[in-house]
Amino acid sequence: RTPSSAGLVEPSPFFPNDSEGAGVRADTACAQLVASAAELAASAAGSALLRHAMDVGGTTTALGIAAALAGSICKLVRSPHACRLLGQLVSCVGAENSACIAMELCTNAPQAAANVHGNAVVCQLLECDAAAPSTQALIDYVLVGDAAALCRHKFGHRVAMAI
């Protein structure tokens, strides 16, 4: 099922109804979504499909989505829909397996921490495992700039409090 523009749920061609589909069909649907993850992540409907795929396909699907999104995390972190997906991804696979997200954010850490959507991903990484080396590296890069300005910033403040 997918969200419609009216906020209602419509049948999805990717996921069969429980009465119709077997696990094989769900696995195939998840694989198709993983292959299209980079294109789907930033849209509301695409992000919802990918999040549902993680619910259905578990850690294997989540790791596939993480691999498919590699290289575009800094762009996606500015999207509200992609950030929700990234937050769920971090929760699903844990800090160790989402280290690629933290490391990619290191290249744009202060901006991600102060972004209206990106701060949630940084906070999710901290909540998941603040002691992970990749999360520690991200925090080091976040704090390279003006820490006082981060604390005063509307969204950066959330990250400062999570640290």
Side-chain angles (χ1 to χ4, degrees):
R1 299 192 173 274
T2 60
S4 72
S5 60
L8 304 173
V9 177
E10 301 172 346
S12 169
F14 289 103
F15 293 101
N17 291 335
D18 292 340
S19 60
E20 294 176 24
V24 174
R25 287 184 63 193
D27 290 345
T28 302
C30 288
Q32 290 172 342
L33 288 169
V34 166
S36 303
E39 296 83 33
L40 294 171
S43 72
S47 175
L49 280 171
L50 291 169
R51 285 183 278 116
H52 186 63
M54 284 192 289
D55 291 340
V56 171
T59 304
T60 302
T61 298
L63 290 172
I65 292 170
L69 298 180
S72 40
I73 300 298
C74 288
K75 177 183 171 190
L76 292 173
V77 80
R78 294 177 291 198
S79 161
H81 310 296
C83 276
R84 189 169 174 197
L85 171 67
L86 292 171
Q88 185 173 336
L89 189 65
V90 169
S91 294
C92 184
V93 301
E96 184 178 314
N97 288 319
S98 59
C100 58
I101 294 171
M103 296 310 293
E104 200 168 323
L105 286 175
C106 286
T107 63
N108 205 17
Q111 292 81 4
N115 181 272
V116 63
H117 307 296
N119 76 83
V121 176
V122 176
C123 287
Q124 185 65 38
L125 285 161
L126 282 164
E127 185 179 314
C128 188
D129 188 0
S134 58
T135 306
Q136 287 294 307
L138 175 60
I139 296 311
D140 288 345
Y141 281 104
V142 165
L143 296 175
V144 164
D146 185 1
L150 180 72
C151 291
R152 290 188 304 267
H153 190 275
K154 182 176 182 176
F155 305 111
H157 177 76
R158 291 178 176 173
V159 173
M161 293 303 295
I163 294 172

